[in-house]
Amino acid sequence: MRRWLTLALLATGPVLVVGVFFVLPVSGMVARGFFADGVFDPRGVVEVLTRPRVARVAWFTVWSAGTATALAVLLGLPVANVLHRLALPGRRLIRAALLVPFVLPTVVVGVAFRLLLGEGGPLGFLGLDGTPVAIIAGLVFFNVAVVIRAVGAAWESLDTRPAEAAAALGATPAQVWWTVTLPALRPAIVSAASVVFLFCATAFGIVLTLGGVKYATVETEIYLLTTTLFDLQAAAALSVLQLVVVVALLGLAARLRATPDATANRSTARPRRIRSGDAPAIVVTVLVLAMVAAPIVTLVLGSFRTDAGWSLLNYRALNHVNEALPVPVTDALITSLRTAVDATWMALSMGLAVAVLVTRRSQTRGERRARGILDGFFMLPLGVSAVTLGFGFLITLDHPPLDLRDSPLLVPIAQALVALPLVVRTLVPVLAGIDDRQRQAAASLGASPWRALLTVDLPVVWKPLLAASGFAFAASLGEFGATSFLARDDHPTVPVVIFRLIGHPGELNYGMALAASVVLATATAVVVLAVERLRVPSVGAF
C-alpha cells in the first residue's frame, strides 16, 4: 500500500499538468468536431472527411510521408553503417553534423530549400520549386538523422560473431547481410521508419513553406482552415483523424522499440577498419553530407547577397521595423530565447519526475503495468502534432478559471509539452540502467534517500540532464507549429517572424528572412553540437 501511495503521489503533479495542458485541449478539439451547438452530431465529421479536397490532402499526406520515409531509410542505412561500424576519421564530428538538420527550425529548412531550388538558386534550373519533389527532399533532409541515429545505435551494439561465423562458412557479404545482419536490425529499422513516417506526416513548417495552399497535408490544412477560412469544425474533424493515425503509429513504434532483438544486452563493438567493399556505403555517406550541406550553405551565402552585391545589409536591417514586421528581429530573438529557457526548465523538471517515476523497480505485475501505462501517457504529446495542440489551446484555454490567452506562459507551456517526450526518452534509459542494489547498499550504510540520490544517481545522470536540457532548448527555440497559433503579434518568436517576412513581397523582407534564418540555425546548431560533445547515447532516442 505504501508503494502504491508513493507512486500516486509522484504521479499526481505530472499527470495534472499533462491533463490540464494536453488532455483538456485535445479533448476540446475532439468535442468541437463531434458536437455542434452542444449536440452530438458525428455527421459533421463525416461530411468533412468526405470532401474531395480532404481526400486529396489525406492522400498527399500519406504518399509524400511514405516516399520520404522510404528514401530516408534507404539513405540512412549505409550512413549508419559507415558512422557507427567503421573506423572513419572524424566520424563523431560527422554524426554531430548530421544531427543538426533534425533540430533545425522547420521554417528555416523550408526557406533554405526555397533558396536552393527557386529561380536563381544553384538548382533552380531543375524547376523543382513549389513541387512535391521539393517537399519530399525537405522531409528527407530533416528526418534522415533519425534513421542514422536509431539504426546506428543498434548496429553499433550488434554481436558480430554470427556474421563472422556465416562468412567463415562461405557466405558472401550479400548473403551475410540478408540472412544475419538485416534480421537482427529489423526491429530498429521498422521502429525508426515508423517514427520518421510520423514526423513526415505531421510536418508543418517545411510543407507550409514549400507547398503553400496547392500542396497541403493534413497538418497544414488544419492551420489553413483555422487561420484563413475560420472553419473550426472542419479543422477539428481533421485533427481527430490525424490524432487517431499518429497515436496508432506511436503505439506501433513503442511496441517495436520494446521488441527484444539481437542488439539487446550487448556491449558496443569496436569499429573495424575500412575495406574495399565499404566503398558504396562511403559514397552514399558523402552524398548525404552534400545533401545536408547544400541547403545550409546556400542559405548562408544568400543572406549576404543583395542587389548591390555582397553586403551585411540584411543583418543590419534585423534591428528595424517595417509594414511586415511590427517588432525588430532582435527583439523576436530575445523573446525566442526567453521562451525557450522557460520551456526548457518546465520540460526538464517534469521530464525528470516522469523518468524517476517510470524507472523505479516494480515489485508486482500491477505496479509494473501502472508504470507502463504512465510511461505511455506521458509520451502522448509526441503522437499529437504541435498544430493540433496549439489549436486545442485556442479553443479550450479561453475562459475562467483557465483563461490563459494573454498569459506570457502560454507559449512556453506548449513548447514544453512538445519537448517533454524528448527529455523523458533521454533520461529513462540512463535511470533504468542504474543498479537498484547500489541504492540499497547506500541505504544500508545509513544514507538518507536524498544522500543516496546525490551519491548514486547524480554522478550518472548529470550529463544526460545537461544533454536533455540542450535538446529541449533547441527544440523549443525552433518550434513553429503550436507557436504559430499562440504567439502574440507584439511578442513573436523568430520562426514566426521568418514566416511573416517570406510571406510579404520585397527584396529586403526576403533578405531579412534569410538573415534571421541563419541566426536561428546558428544558435540551434551550437546547442546541438554542445549536446553531442556530452556523448550521451540516449539523446535522440524516440
Side-chain angles (χ1 to χ4, degrees):
M1 181 60 67
R2 177 191 288 182
R3 294 185 62 86
W4 279 103
L5 289 175
T6 303
L7 178 64
L9 184 63
L10 289 174
T12 298
V15 167
L16 283 176
V17 172
V18 175
V20 171
F21 294 108
F22 176 77
V23 176
L24 180 62
V26 172
S27 300
M29 171 205 67
V30 173
R32 181 63 65 95
F34 282 98
F35 289 85
D37 299 325
V39 178
F40 180 69
D41 184 16
R43 291 176 299 178
V45 174
V46 175
E47 187 274 328
V48 171
L49 298 182
T50 54
R51 294 176 183 176
R53 176 171 172 83
V54 170
R56 292 195 300 271
V57 166
W59 170 242
F60 181 77
T61 302
V62 171
W63 85 259
S64 62
T67 303
T69 300
L71 290 173
V73 171
L74 290 175
L75 293 173
L77 285 178
V79 178
N81 179 34
V82 169
L83 298 183
H84 289 267
R85 290 304 298 267
L86 305 185
L88 186 71
R91 67 192 186 112
R92 289 190 181 276
L93 179 61
I94 297 173
R95 283 186 347 207
L98 289 177
L99 183 62
V100 169
F102 178 72
V103 294
L104 281 180
T106 55
V107 68
V108 171
V109 175
V111 170
F113 270 87
R114 281 186 63 177
L115 191 62
L116 177 68
L117 301 175
E119 185 179 352
L123 300 181
F125 64 93
L126 296 176
L128 298 178
D129 186 27
T131 67
V133 175
I135 296 173
I136 292 171
L139 294 176
V140 174
F141 169 89
F142 190 75
N143 290 291
V144 70
V146 177
V147 178
I148 296 171
R149 191 90 179 183
V151 178
W155 215 329
E156 200 170 41
S157 59
L158 197 66
D159 190 353
T160 60
R161 290 173 295 181
E164 293 169 352
L169 293 173
T172 64
Q175 289 174 325
V176 172
W177 162 253
W178 288 108
T179 60
V180 179
T181 307
L182 181 59
L185 292 176
R186 186 176 290 117
I189 294 172
V190 177
S191 179
S194 302
V195 174
V196 169
F197 185 88
L198 172 68
F199 288 151
C200 291
T202 58
F204 178 61
I206 294 175
V207 180
L208 188 64
T209 306
L210 297 176
V213 179
K214 184 177 180 181
Y215 296 107
T217 61
V218 172
E219 185 88 345
T220 58
E221 188 72 2
I222 294 171
Y223 175 81
L224 294 172
L225 286 170
T226 305
T227 60
T228 304
L229 301 178
F230 305 106
D231 190 349
L232 298 186
Q233 186 178 21
L238 284 180
S239 298
V240 172
L241 173 65
Q242 185 186 55
L243 178 64
V244 172
V245 173
V246 297
V247 169
L249 282 173
L250 185 64
L252 174 64
R255 184 178 181 85
L256 292 170
R257 185 174 61 242
T259 301
D261 58 78
T263 67
N265 301 319
R266 301 287 184 187
S267 59
T268 302
R270 294 182 59 185
R272 62 171 177 82
R273 298 178 61 182
I274 299 175
R275 303 168 186 164
S276 58
D278 298 320
I282 294 176
V283 170
V284 174
T285 302
V286 173
L287 290 176
V288 170
L289 280 171
M291 181 189 77
V292 168
I296 298 176
V297 172
T298 304
L299 177 66
V300 173
L301 294 178
S303 68
F304 291 102
R305 187 177 295 137
T306 64
D307 291 336
W310 300 99
S311 170
L312 292 174
L313 176 64
N314 294 328
Y315 289 90
R316 295 193 189 102
L318 296 181
N319 201 34
H320 297 83
V321 298
N322 57 30
E323 69 280 358
L325 195 62
V327 298
V329 176
T330 49
D331 289 357
L333 180 60
I334 293 173
T335 299
S336 291
L337 293 173
R338 185 184 300 117
T339 302
V341 168
D342 289 338
T344 299
W345 71 257
M346 292 178 188
L348 191 65
S349 57
M350 189 160 55
L352 180 59
V354 171
V356 171
L357 176 68
V358 301
T359 55
R360 283 297 179 259
R361 177 173 296 181
S362 302
Q363 294 186 350
T364 64
R365 180 179 298 179
E367 186 180 352
R368 189 181 306 112
R369 183 175 299 174
R371 293 184 190 275
I373 292 173
L374 288 172
D375 187 20
F377 175 74
F378 292 118
M379 287 299 100
L380 283 178
L382 183 62
V384 176
S385 72
V387 167
T388 299
L389 184 63
F391 178 34
F393 270 46
L394 282 181
I395 64 176
T396 56
L397 304 182
D398 60 346
H399 53 274
L402 293 173
D403 188 359
L404 301 177
R405 289 171 297 180
D406 297 325
S407 173
L409 293 178
L410 189 61
V411 175
I413 290 171
Q415 293 184 357
L417 286 171
V418 173
L420 176 62
L422 307 180
V423 174
V424 173
R425 281 289 143 240
T426 300
L427 297 179
V428 162
V430 178
L431 289 174
I434 300 176
D435 193 340
D436 201 48
R437 290 174 296 184
Q438 297 179 9
R439 301 187 185 99
Q440 295 171 0
S444 66
L445 293 174
S448 65
W450 283 107
R451 181 66 180 273
L453 180 68
L454 292 175
T455 56
V456 176
D457 293 59
L458 187 60
V460 178
V461 83
W462 73 268
K463 274 190 177 183
L465 275 173
L466 288 178
S469 301
F471 211 42
F473 183 84
S476 301
L477 196 62
E479 205 285 319
F480 179 56
T483 309
S484 63
F485 279 90
L486 304 175
R488 293 182 293 179
D489 291 339
D490 55 341
H491 287 88
T493 61
V494 176
V496 174
V497 165
I498 293 171
F499 185 70
R500 288 180 184 173
L501 287 171
I502 63 176
H504 283 75
E507 189 69 26
L508 183 59
N509 287 335
Y510 192 65
M512 290 170 63
L514 300 183
S517 298
V518 171
V519 171
L520 188 58
T522 302
T524 305
V526 168
V527 173
V528 172
L529 292 175
V531 168
E532 189 68 12
R533 291 279 296 175
L534 295 172
R535 298 181 182 179
V536 178
S538 56
V539 169
F542 305 101

